[in-house]
């Protein structure tokens, strides 16, 4: 908010009316009295200025909610921190979030980053006084252990709301919207098991990555539930990339697996490449399941069976929660999960005889 926040408060001082909409006004003195702070402190919180402690800011925000104040939304910026747009799933998610923001008068500002690095801080810091009202950590530092926390601390220090997608900060106090990675692994294992596969391996993402860790947990649990108790021995971690999938699949194929569950579509394509280099046919000799989904997977050789992240639902839930937070209304700082879907194509088939 700009200095218009002070003008709005002053207008109510003259009229004595309480707000009935985001465009309404509140009394500075009334909010200050409820929060036990000065009028100047309320003004700083309204305009998201430096120099207010987190506890004092929370007290003022609570008082603002008590009098029914909602911040205006029009023409404001939502920063989206995302690990590049080359990967189709991230391009699809950012586009979907941007489409959901537009009807609310909000504009997306895309920031391609290396997750958990100082790049997040370098984007956030100059945006604090440039009309920024919220941030989205889209598979960014929220998915990693021991990531640089400065970007999040800058937001919290200014009272700017943020939301995480596909992973929560270990000590964060904000809402999280995630795909149910445990269920995703169950869908993949169930499909392959029904096709007769019993020696199933997993090309998993790197250690310390929340979605990768969850998919492994789901994979092991799904295998255990079917009496395949050596599943942990058939998990190989590598990068979320084609080369990462190829290297991981080489190890699994050497152990005699007949099916592979990959932690991303890129890894799945790498697994198919590894199988073909060994003279194996997919799915005749080995079946492969990816994760994420993209329209391009209809045109791979063979078309890739995958577990689809519900991009539209993730974006809708994310923006609905963000708008509520921007308007200064209370939301629960919990993690909500949406269910993935299995998309059957040509890379899976019955276990070879």
């Amino acid at each position: 908010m700009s200095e218009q926040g002070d003008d709005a408060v002053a207008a109510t001082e003259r009229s004595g009316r309480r707000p009935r909409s985001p465009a309404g006004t509140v009394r500075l003195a009334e909010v200050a009295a409820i929060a036990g702070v000065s009028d100047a402190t309320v003004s700083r919180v309204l305009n998201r200025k430096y120099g207010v402690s987190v506890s004092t800011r929370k007290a003022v925000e609570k008082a603002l909610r008590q009098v029914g104040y909602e911040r205006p939304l029009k023409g404001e910026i939502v920063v989206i921190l995302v690990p590049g747009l080359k990967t189709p799933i991230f391009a699809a998610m950012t586009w979907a979030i941007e489409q959901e923001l537009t009807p609310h008068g909000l504009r997306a500002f895309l920031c391609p980053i290396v997750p958990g690095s100082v790049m997040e801080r370098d984007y956030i810091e100059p945006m604090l006084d440039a009309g920024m009202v919220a941030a989205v950590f889209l598979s960014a530092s929220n998915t990693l252990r021991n990531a640089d926390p400065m970007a999040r601390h800058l937001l919290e220090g200014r009272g700017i709301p943020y939301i995480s997608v596909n992973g929560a900060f270990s000590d964060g106090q904000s809402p999280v919207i995630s795909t149910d990675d445990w269920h995703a692994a169950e869908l993949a294992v169930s499909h392959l098991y029904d096709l007769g596969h019993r020696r199933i391996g997993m090309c998993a993402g790197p250690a310390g990555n929340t979605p990768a860790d969850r998919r492994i947990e789901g994979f092991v649990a799904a295998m255990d539930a079917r009496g395949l108790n050596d599943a942990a021995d058939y998990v190989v971690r590598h990068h979320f990339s084609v080369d990462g999938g190829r290297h991981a699949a080489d190890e699994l194929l050497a152990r005699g697996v007949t099916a592979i569950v990959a932690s991303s579509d890129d890894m799945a394509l790498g697994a198919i490449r590894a199988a073909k280099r060994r003279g194996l046919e997919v799915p005749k000799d080995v079946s492969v399941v990816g994760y994420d989904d993209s329209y391009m997977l209809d045109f791979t050789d063979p078309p890739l069976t995958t577990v689809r992240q519900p991009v539209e639902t993730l974006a809708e839930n994310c923006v609905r929660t963000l708008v509520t937070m921007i308007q200064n209304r209370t939301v629960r700082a919990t993690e909500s999960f949406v269910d993935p879907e299995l998309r059957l194509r040509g890379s899976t088939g019955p276990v070879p005889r």
Side-chain angles (χ1 to χ4, degrees):
M1 175 177 294
S2 68
E3 297 302 327
Q4 292 175 348
D6 294 339
D7 295 340
V9 174
T12 301
E13 289 280 3
R14 295 190 295 272
S15 69
R17 290 181 292 104
R18 284 202 174 184
R20 299 186 61 83
S21 71
T25 56
V26 297
R27 297 183 61 178
L28 248 180
E30 181 182 2
V31 176
I34 294 173
V37 299
S38 67
D39 292 5
T41 298
V42 176
S43 177
R44 296 190 72 81
V45 172
L46 282 170
N47 293 294
R48 302 194 191 279
K49 298 296 185 181
Y50 286 112
V52 182
S53 69
V54 174
S55 59
T56 299
R57 188 179 295 278
K58 287 182 178 179
V60 174
E61 296 280 5
K62 182 178 180 180
L64 288 167
R65 288 192 295 271
Q66 186 172 331
V67 301
Y69 179 77
E70 293 184 0
R71 285 190 171 94
L73 302 181
K74 189 174 181 180
E76 301 289 2
I77 297 171
V78 175
V79 169
I80 303 178
L81 299 163
V82 57
L85 300 178
K86 185 171 68 172
T87 302
I89 186 63
F90 294 133
M93 281 190 177
T94 53
W95 184 87
I97 291 172
E98 185 174 20
Q99 294 302 301
E100 291 290 333
L101 288 171
T102 300
H104 299 283
L106 296 168
R107 296 175 292 148
F109 185 83
L110 306 185
C111 303
I113 49 90
V114 175
S117 71
V118 296
M119 292 178 70
E120 294 185 4
R121 179 194 65 196
D122 292 342
Y123 274 115
I124 291 293
E125 196 163 25
M127 296 301 297
L128 293 173
D129 294 312
M132 175 185 179
V133 293
V136 179
F137 288 87
L138 177 54
S139 296
S141 57
N142 59 300
T143 64
L144 302 178
R145 291 198 299 264
N146 304 318
D148 187 321
M150 185 55 67
R152 179 165 53 92
H153 291 170
L154 287 171
L155 295 169
E156 292 170 347
R158 294 288 288 271
I160 295 177
Y162 62 89
I163 192 169
S164 301
V165 178
N166 280 339
F169 292 105
S170 59
D171 57 346
Q173 297 296 321
S174 67
V176 185
I177 310 293
S178 299
T179 302
D180 190 336
D181 288 312
W182 297 280
H183 185 49
E186 164 65 28
L187 289 174
V189 171
S190 176
H191 171 57
L192 294 170
Y193 188 88
D194 289 347
L195 290 171
H197 296 276
R198 299 296 182 267
R199 189 169 293 182
I200 304 170
M202 184 176 202
C203 296
N209 178 280
T210 298
D213 293 344
R214 289 174 171 179
R215 290 165 204 169
I216 291 174
E217 291 172 5
F219 173 77
V220 173
M223 296 285 280
D224 286 347
R226 291 164 174 78
L228 307 174
N229 300 318
D230 58 349
D233 297 332
Y234 290 90
V235 174
V236 179
R237 287 184 179 268
H238 222 288
H239 298 295
F240 286 118
S241 65
V242 172
D243 281 343
R246 179 173 60 82
H247 289 302
D250 274 335
E251 292 189 39
L252 293 172
L253 292 170
R255 300 177 194 178
V257 301
T258 62
I260 292 174
V261 176
S263 282
S264 74
D265 290 334
D266 281 352
M267 296 189 85
L269 296 176
I272 291 175
R273 179 177 295 178
K276 289 183 175 180
R277 287 184 176 182
R278 288 172 171 265
L280 301 175
E281 294 184 36
V282 178
K284 178 182 177 181
D285 301 311
V286 60
S287 291
V288 178
V289 179
Y291 183 84
D292 283 336
D293 194 36
S294 164
Y295 74 92
M296 293 184 293
L297 300 182
D298 286 318
F299 307 101
T300 58
D301 183 22
L304 182 65
T305 294
T306 191
V307 178
R308 181 181 186 273
Q309 290 205 62
V311 170
E312 295 79 10
T313 304
L314 285 168
E316 180 182 351
N317 292 351
C318 174
V319 172
R320 183 170 62 246
T321 304
L322 264 188
V323 169
T324 301
M325 296 168 73
I326 295 170
Q327 290 177 334
N328 205 44
R329 289 182 281 156
T330 303
V331 297
R332 296 177 61 186
T334 56
E335 186 168 11
S336 301
F337 294 96
V338 294
D339 288 332
E341 307 166 1
L342 182 66
R343 291 295 178 90
L344 297 179
R345 295 188 178 95
S347 63
T348 53
V351 63
R353 295 183 180 276

